């Protein structure tokens, strides 16, 4: 009886101990799983919010905040299913943009309001409250905040689901273990108690070491062996879950590193990108100002890169950017920083107050190296580089002024012929200010009829008028007379040249009938097009509609494009002018010989007229080289059956030479200056003779 009582007591005790042990192991596993999960989610949200705050820094730092860009940045959270919401506020905690995550969308609360006062009180960093994980991040610097980002992530519900999944996997095994333990307790004896003690020690070891990979192998009777195997299986399950969590955490960390690299480095060249460079420059300027030190900034882009893209394709253009960046890096000193600003624009930051000799030497080495031929995809490509140089002291350590000064100097290099470097001086700012005023005044000038079309006559060898070239003049109410050489370039750079061309087309087509009525129906009017016009599909549509509206004979309209514009956009120009020829109009190549050694191209393009540039005409009889080139061009054009027109004819000697060598048309001050339409039509004109009018001279 006593034996039965002891056996029953031992059985009950052992059964309770086994159940308690299994429950303890299960509880510890769940607790450990919960801790690992929380750490992984917190780390992920911390990295995600940091990256988004850095992205939003660039957007909020702009003079005008683009809410669409903020929305696009927040839409990246759509793929994170446990993000409840995110909100971006300015430095005064006024809401800029709110993003509702999938949980709010599913419960029908996409417009949940957030108490900005509570947001203000919330500490920066990571925090939890009522099953929610919050990441509040500062956008900008502590001294100069631009705003704040708050991301709320549902922590409790996903954790509960994860624990339930774990329970589903582990609980059956636990029940089996308890059942076997109860069965084994019926056969409890001193020999069987030893394996249980060993199991207890192993469980204790697992708890102390958190090592679920420990192999549980306890030998004894069949029940003990089964219990050992079941517990080992349960440990394997827990160990597998632990490995999965660690792998998930590693993936999150790698994703964070990848996102940081994408945020800070250019994917094509591997150089630091604009965001990283500007942030580094901001810190460096602050340090240099504190130490009364100076730095130099080089701003440069590749001359002719757009033509490479248009002619050879973007793949060749990308390879060219990579090779150009590699060549440039060879001449930088240790510690200097180069970054790709975007497109074909680059920035170089030279530290440690380099003297003018060092700066000039680096710039000239870069120019010389970039000017060497690039051999890419079986193509020999020639480009150049224009460099602008500025010092931090001239900008008074202001980041925006520092970059702007270098940009202005670079523009000066381009205006003065490219393939050179220019050091910024304060006087350039006035030129830049005028450039901005001109760019901003073009649209209003068109709207207020400040532009006017002037017509310069073209004559044949007998000085009879055969046509006119339509030329733009701009008399601005604010700026006075603005030279076409000045405002055309600015219009192209500011993206407003298409508006000018459209205005010119409409004005010339409107004047068409009056000119032909006065000078004869075979008079040809020539209009100039820019490279931007060749890319504008609306231009061709406009020309077609104007021809129909004003009943224009297309043969009386000729379109001129410069040699450099044609060849830098070769395929596009060919396609555009093929459509123009289909309409019935003619094509003229202007400024021939000034941009390229391109005689071979004349056999590949379809032209009607070749215009000899004024610089060759000016040197006729003075420069043997110009005289020989002019003769060669005329003879070649005659062999290709092209109409030949010489520009800038100002003397009888020039006229006699050109006519004697077979030039078909002449244009210049000798025959007439550009004249406005009322003056052009004011004096009676004999259509039979078509002689140049006296007032034109």
């Amino acid at each position: 009886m006593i034996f039965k009582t002891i056996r029953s007591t031992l059985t009950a005790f052992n059964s309770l101990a086994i159940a308690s042990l299994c429950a303890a192991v299960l509880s510890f596993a769940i607790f450990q799983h919960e801790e690992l999960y929380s750490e992984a989610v917190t780390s992920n949200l911390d990295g995600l919010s940091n990256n988004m705050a850095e992205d939003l820094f660039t957007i909020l730092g702009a003079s005008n905040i683009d809410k669409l860009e903020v929305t696009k940045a927040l839409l990246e959270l759509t793929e994170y299913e446990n993000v409840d919401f995110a909100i971006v506020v300015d430095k005064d905690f006024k809401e800029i943009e709110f993003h509702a995550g999938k949980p709010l969308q599913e419960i029908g609360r996409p417009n949940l309001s957030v108490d900005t006062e509570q947001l203000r009180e919330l500490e920066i960093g990571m925090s939890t409250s009522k099953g929610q994980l919050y990441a509040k991040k500062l956008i900008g610097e502590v001294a100069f905040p631009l705003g704040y980002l708050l991301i709320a992530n549902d922590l409790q519900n996903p954790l509960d689901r994860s624990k339930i999944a774990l329970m589903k996997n582990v609980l059956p095994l636990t029940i089996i273990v308890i059942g076997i333990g109860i069965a084994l307790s019926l056969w409890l004896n001193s020999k069987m108690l030893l394996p249980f003690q060993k199991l207890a020690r192993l469980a204790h070891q697992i708890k102390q070491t958190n090592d679920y990979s420990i192999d549980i192998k306890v030998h004894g009777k069949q029940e003990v062996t089964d219990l050992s195997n079941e517990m080992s299986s349960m440990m394997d399950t827990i160990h597998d879950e632990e490995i999965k969590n660690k792998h998930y955490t590693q993936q999150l960390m790698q994703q964070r590193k990848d996102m940081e690299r994408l945020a800070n480095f250019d994917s094509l060249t591997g150089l630091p990108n604009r965001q990283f460079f500007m942030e580094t420059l901001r810190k460096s300027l602050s340090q240099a100002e504190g130490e009364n030190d100076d730095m130099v900034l080089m701003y440069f882009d590749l001359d002719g890169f757009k033509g490479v893209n248009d002619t050879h394709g973007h793949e060749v253009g990308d390879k060219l950017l990579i090779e150009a960046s590699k060549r440039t890096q060879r001449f930088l000193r240790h510690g200097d920083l180069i970054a790709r600003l975007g497109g074909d624009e680059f920035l170089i930051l030279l530290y440690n107050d380099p003297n003018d000799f060092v700066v000039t030497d680096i710039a000239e080495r870069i120019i010389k190296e970039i000017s060497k031929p690039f051999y890419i995809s079986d193509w020999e490509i020639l480009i150049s580089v224009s460099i602008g140089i500025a010092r931090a002291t001239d900008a008074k350590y202001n980041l925006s002024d520092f970059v702007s000064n270098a940009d202005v100097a670079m523009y000066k290099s381009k205006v003065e012929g490219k393939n050179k470097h220019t050091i910024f001086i304060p006087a350039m700012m006035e030129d830049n200010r005028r450039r901005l005023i001109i760019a901003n005044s073009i649209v209003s000038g068109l709207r207020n009829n400040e532009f006017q079309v002037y017509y310069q006559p073209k004559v044949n060898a007998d000085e009879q008028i055969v046509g006119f070239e339509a030329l733009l003049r701009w008399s601005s109410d604010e700026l006075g007379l603005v030279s076409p050489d000045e405002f055309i370039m600015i219009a192209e750079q500011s993206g407003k040249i298409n508006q000018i061309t459209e205005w010119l087309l409409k004005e010339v087509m409107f004047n068409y009938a009056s000119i032909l009525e006065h000078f004869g129906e075979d008079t040809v009017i020539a209009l100039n097009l820019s490279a931007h016009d060749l890319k504008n599909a609306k231009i061709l549509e406009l020309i077609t509609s104007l021809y129909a509206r004003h009943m224009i004979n297309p043969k009386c309209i000729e379109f001129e494009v410069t040699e450099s514009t044609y060849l830098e956009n070769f395929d596009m120009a060919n396609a555009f002018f093929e459509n123009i020829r289909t309409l019935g109009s003619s094509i003229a190549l202007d400024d021939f010989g000034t941009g390229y050694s391109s005689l071979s191209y004349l056999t590949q393009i379809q032209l009607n007229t070749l215009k000899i540039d004024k610089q060759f005409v000016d040197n006729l009889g003075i420069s043997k080289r110009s005289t020989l080139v002019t003769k060669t061009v005329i003879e070649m054009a005659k062999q290709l059956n092209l109409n030949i027109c010489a520009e800038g004819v100002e003397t009888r000697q020039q006229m006699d030479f050109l006519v004697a060598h077979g030039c078909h048309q002449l244009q210049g001050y000798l025959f007439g200056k550009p004249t406005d339409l009322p003056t052009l039509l004011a004096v009676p004109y004999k259509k039979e003779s078509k002689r140049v009018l006296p007032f034109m001279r």
Side-chain angles (χ1 to χ4, degrees), residues 603-643:
T603 63
Q604 302 177 43
I605 58 182
Q606 299 296 320
L607 298 175
N608 302 99
T609 301
L610 186 67
K611 299 190 74 173
I612 301 174
D613 189 72
K614 183 180 185 297
Q615 73 179 41
F616 295 107
V617 175
D618 288 342
N619 291 307
L620 288 177
I622 300 174
S623 168
K624 291 183 178 180
R625 183 182 182 87
S626 292
T627 302
L628 179 61
V629 169
T630 303
K631 289 180 181 178
T632 303
V633 170
I634 293 175
E635 185 60 33
M636 180 185 60
K638 287 161 56 178
Q639 295 298 321
L640 294 173
N641 294 320
L642 297 178
N643 185 41

Side-chain angles (χ1 to χ4, degrees), residues 277-496:
F277 185 89
M278 290 303 178
E279 183 60 26
T280 303
L281 181 58
R282 186 188 308 277
K283 294 177 181 177
S284 300
L285 281 172
S286 178
Q287 182 179 352
E289 184 177 14
E291 298 175 357
N292 197 27
D293 202 355
D294 200 2
M295 297 184 300
V296 170
L297 184 65
M298 288 186 175
Y299 193 133
F300 72 90
D301 75 355
L302 306 179
D303 306 322
F305 176 76
K306 182 175 66 66
V308 173
N309 260 350
D310 293 341
T311 304
H312 303 293
H314 288 282
E315 183 178 354
V316 173
D318 288 346
K319 291 180 179 178
L320 177 61
L321 288 174
I322 294 172
E323 290 302 315
S325 68
K326 289 180 179 179
R327 289 190 184 184
T328 303
Q329 292 177 73
R330 298 173 189 169
F331 306 107
L332 301 185
R333 306 166 305 163
H334 179 70
D336 292 338
L337 180 64
I338 179 174
R340 183 187 178 199
L341 190 62
D344 62 330
E345 295 181 323
F346 296 83
L347 289 171
I348 299 175
L349 182 60
L350 304 179
Y351 288 96
N352 301 324
D353 195 8
N355 58 46
D356 290 343
F357 174 79
V358 172
V359 173
T360 301
D361 181 63
I362 293 175
E364 290 179 350
R365 285 171 177 266
I366 292 174
I367 290 171
K368 182 178 180 180
E369 187 68 17
I370 297 298
S371 298
K372 295 178 181 178
F374 288 83
Y375 297 96
I376 299 175
S377 300
D378 298 327
W379 292 98
E380 178 181 330
I381 298 174
L382 292 173
I383 59 171
S384 60
V385 62
S386 297
I387 303 177
I389 302 170
R391 287 190 171 272
T393 49
D394 290 334
K396 298 180 180 179
Y397 300 97
N398 180 277
L399 185 146
S400 178
D401 292 342
F402 195 20
V403 177
S404 178
N405 291 350
D407 185 21
V408 168
M410 188 268 287
Y411 176 78
K412 187 76 171 177
S413 296
K414 283 191 173 294
V415 171
E416 293 183 353
K418 305 177 181 179
N419 199 33
K420 62 177 297 184
H421 72 274
T422 302
I423 298 176
F424 172 83
I425 58 175
M428 293 180 185
M429 291 307 299
E430 183 60 31
D431 294 337
N432 186 58
R433 191 181 74 86
R434 175 176 173 82
R435 182 160 59 99
L436 292 175
I437 293 175
I438 289 175
N440 293 330
S441 301
I442 289 175
V443 175
S444 60
L446 292 171
R447 186 170 54 248
N448 297 330
N449 294 318
E450 295 176 358
F451 286 84
Q452 193 173 5
V453 182
Y454 276 51
Y455 296 90
Q456 185 175 28
K458 296 180 182 180
V459 302
N460 59 17
D462 297 326
E463 295 189 58
Q464 295 177 323
I465 293 177
V466 294
F468 293 90
E469 180 177 359
L471 301 169
L472 268 179
R473 296 294 182 264
W474 182 15
S475 178
S476 169
D477 294 339
E478 179 181 1
L479 300 166
L481 292 176
V482 185
S483 167
D485 292 337
E486 185 177 20
F487 73 76
I488 291 296
M489 178 182 294
I490 294 173
E492 289 180 333
Q493 293 173 342
S494 61
K496 298 176 181 177

Side-chain angles (χ1 to χ4, degrees), residues 492 497 501 505 527-534 539 543 559-562 565 576-577 580:
E492 289 180 333
I497 190 65
T501 301
L505 286 169
L527 301 97
N528 293 280
L529 298 177
S530 77
H532 295 268
D533 296 325
L534 303 183
I539 291 293
I543 292 171
F559 293 95
E560 293 186 8
V561 64
T562 63
T565 294
F576 181 88
F577 287 126
I580 291 295

Side-chain angles (χ1 to χ4, degrees), residues 218-237:
V218 180
H219 299 286
K221 292 187 177 182
Q222 185 63 41
E223 292 83 353
V224 176
T225 303
D226 290 344
L227 177 59
S228 173
N229 291 336
E230 293 298 336
M231 289 188 67
S232 180
S233 177
M234 183 174 68
M235 292 301 103
D236 289 342
T237 301

Side-chain angles (χ1 to χ4, degrees), residues 463 652 669-673 691-697:
E463 295 189 58
R652 286 288 172 185
Y669 281 10
L670 180 63
F671 313 107
K673 297 180 178 181
R691 303 292 294 181
V692 176
L693 299 178
F695 73 86
M696 291 183 181
R697 295 187 183 277

